[in-house]
Amino acid sequence: MSQLIFSQNPTARLKAFQKQNDNKSAMNKDQVLLDYYIYLISNDVSFFRLERVWINKELYQAGISRVTNKPVLVKTGNKTDTLVRYTDEDVWQISIQAKAEGNYKPIKEIADIVAQNELVLRLYDKNGKLHTRQVDRITRLN
């Protein structure tokens, strides 16, 4: 599901889900509003700061916050999906806020990763190291 690029010992797994939202108020009937549920699970990093988030090759503004209630569940119709099972590891939620303004183009090294994956995160850890995480396909929730 996700490929990790991380130097040395810390590990982090990226999980991404997408759900179609039935609330179409304030939207054209041809538009589809999607909710993204993105989680980073880390065993040894107590701080992250987002640099960039690309979804389907589009740059987005996003926030990151630590999740305290585990497991992470989401209700879809009559069904409840477990997005992140209970774990002792730190879990971080990435919240998509809006499409980024401007015409930012990633550097070649990252542009190739963005072109090949549905989700790409660039983030800094507590030591100031820049890391890249990606998911080739975002899991669709029904």
Side-chain angles (χ1 to χ4, degrees):
M1 177 179 185
S2 65
Q3 178 182 356
L4 303 178
I5 301 173
F6 219 98
S7 61
Q8 301 188 12
N9 294 330
T11 61
R13 297 180 316 280
L14 184 60
K15 292 186 168 211
F17 305 89
Q18 179 182 41
K19 179 176 108 171
Q20 184 171 335
N21 188 337
D22 294 333
N23 181 6
K24 292 188 173 69
S25 62
M27 289 181 19
N28 294 335
K29 62 182 177 181
D30 297 329
Q31 292 178 316
V32 177
L33 181 63
L34 299 172
D35 289 331
Y36 291 99
Y37 301 92
I38 304 168
Y39 298 93
L40 189 66
I41 300 110
S42 172
N43 73 344
D44 195 27
V45 180
S46 59
F47 171 81
F48 285 109
R49 181 176 56 83
L50 284 176
E51 172 68 14
R52 302 263 189 263
V53 177
W54 289 272
I55 300 174
N56 295 319
K57 300 168 190 58
E58 301 259 351
L59 184 61
Y60 285 84
Q61 296 174 348
I64 187 168
S65 59
R66 189 182 301 242
V67 174
T68 56
N69 295 329
K70 299 177 252 179
V72 177
L73 307 171
V74 66
K75 190 166 177 89
T76 309
N78 295 338
K79 181 176 143 190
T80 299
D81 290 307
T82 302
L83 304 184
V84 179
R85 296 187 182 281
Y86 179 81
T87 178
D88 289 333
E89 297 174 298
D90 290 329
V91 177
W92 301 85
Q93 181 175 18
I94 290 76
S95 303
I96 303 303
Q97 298 164 346
K99 279 191 178 181
E101 295 181 14
N103 195 15
Y104 175 82
K105 298 289 182 196
I107 60 175
K108 172 111 176 81
E109 165 194 337
I110 301 305
D112 292 343
I113 296 171
V114 169
Q116 297 171 12
N117 295 280
E118 288 188 354
L119 172 67
V120 178
L121 295 183
R122 298 278 283 171
L123 49 115
Y124 288 98
D125 67 16
K126 64 182 176 184
N127 298 320
K129 289 185 182 179
L130 182 61
H131 302 280
T132 302
R133 293 288 177 276
Q134 67 262 5
V135 171
D136 57 350
R137 288 221 183 275
I138 297 172
T139 302
R140 278 31 174 207
L141 302 173
N142 295 328

